[in-house]
Amino acid sequence: MTDVWYVGVDQVPESLAVLLDGRDRARRRRILCEADRNRALAAWVLARLVLGEKLGRDPADLSFDRTCAHCGDPGHGKPVVESADPGLDFSLSHAGGLAVVAVSDRTVGVDIEDATAGVRPPAAALTERERAVCSDYADFARLWTCKEAVLKAAGKGLQIHPGRLEVLGSTLRALPEELGRPEDYTLRDLPLPAPYVGTLAVLGPAPPPSVRSGTDLVGAAAQVFPSPLPHPRVHR
């Protein structure tokens, strides 16, 4: 079973950074853009809250192993929860003002995009057949989330050129041989708040995921770790 949670980036207060460990905080400090730092905070706070609830553990006590399964590098692999059931997998994504986390009992990847962002897609990212059916940016955004979700599930990310994958409709048609067979993956469109589109990629056959808002989960955590009140101004 796969569960997908989403939350607005502006719904995650800075006070919840207390849930991150030292490595998370260091990674976040290296992000130069404030908007990107806020998106990273929202995604990782949501991931910790969802995983903590599922595992029956304190979200702040979770630690993650980022060792790459392909090259052994300790810093850029797909994150996995240390000391957890090896059958548990998760993936996260953020774009614009939304963060999403997918948790599954099988290999999973998730990606979202703002369908109104309007950035011209690089032609090399699409195959000839994909370009033929990609009439506007919204089409490209959905197609891109399919490719990214598969690459995240495979633990490769953009180490694999997206032009080597082909997605037509909701079906993966072509995949680099080192990642397996196209029919090994199930792709699911995610019902997300507009203007966001998203795709879930699961290794093997999979029923539709449960998709829900994480607003209440984040709100409950924010009550435990409230933002400090501003100091009153003293008029002289």
Side-chain angles (χ1 to χ4, degrees):
M1 180 63 184
T2 302
D3 295 320
V4 177
W5 300 72
Y6 63 85
V7 71
V9 171
D10 61 359
Q11 294 176 312
V12 181
E14 180 67 28
S15 63
L16 292 185
V18 71
L19 298 178
L20 308 183
D21 62 18
R23 289 181 295 179
D24 286 343
R25 294 191 189 105
R27 289 168 64 90
R28 187 171 175 241
R29 282 195 297 270
R30 291 194 291 271
I31 301 174
L32 299 179
C33 174
E34 181 181 6
D36 289 341
R37 286 197 301 273
N38 292 339
R39 283 188 277 267
L41 175 67
W44 278 102
V45 164
L46 182 61
R48 283 180 171 273
L49 292 173
V50 171
L51 290 165
E53 182 178 80
K54 187 167 286 290
L55 295 169
R57 292 165 58 182
D58 185 335
D61 288 341
L62 298 175
S63 57
F64 301 93
D65 182 359
R66 291 180 170 85
T67 302
C68 178
H70 303 281
C71 73
D73 186 288
H76 68 222
K78 182 180 182 181
V80 297
V81 183
E82 293 180 344
S83 304
D85 183 341
L88 179 74
D89 196 27
F90 78 99
S91 179
L92 52 83
S93 181
H94 51 72
L98 196 70
V100 172
V101 173
V103 180
S104 182
D105 58 0
R106 59 190 68 194
T107 301
V108 67
V110 69
D111 192 65
I112 65 169
E113 294 290 338
D114 179 347
T116 62
V119 179
R120 185 176 178 84
L126 307 179
T127 67
E128 184 176 347
R129 292 197 297 179
E130 287 171 338
R131 287 194 292 271
V133 298
C134 194
S135 61
D136 57 22
Y137 184 79
D139 288 343
F140 167 75
R142 184 186 169 281
L143 189 61
W144 183 260
T145 65
C146 293
K147 295 191 177 206
E148 276 265 44
V150 171
L151 291 173
K152 287 182 177 182
K156 280 288 191 178
L158 292 179
Q159 297 174 64
I160 298 289
H161 194 286
R164 297 180 63 194
L165 286 71
E166 184 175 71
V167 179
L168 297 176
S170 296
T171 304
L172 185 61
R173 296 292 187 184
L175 186 68
E177 185 177 350
E178 63 266 34
L179 300 186
R181 304 173 304 167
E183 58 267 28
D184 292 337
Y185 290 87
T186 299
L187 302 183
R188 298 283 186 184
D189 290 335
L190 296 177
L192 298 173
Y196 298 97
V197 294
T199 300
L200 182 78
V202 178
L203 186 60
S210 166
V211 181
R212 68 192 80 175
S213 169
T215 300
D216 291 344
L217 200 61
V218 169
Q223 290 182 355
V224 177
F225 302 103
S227 299
L229 295 174
H231 293 294
R233 298 183 62 181
V234 177
H235 299 280
R236 299 184 184 276

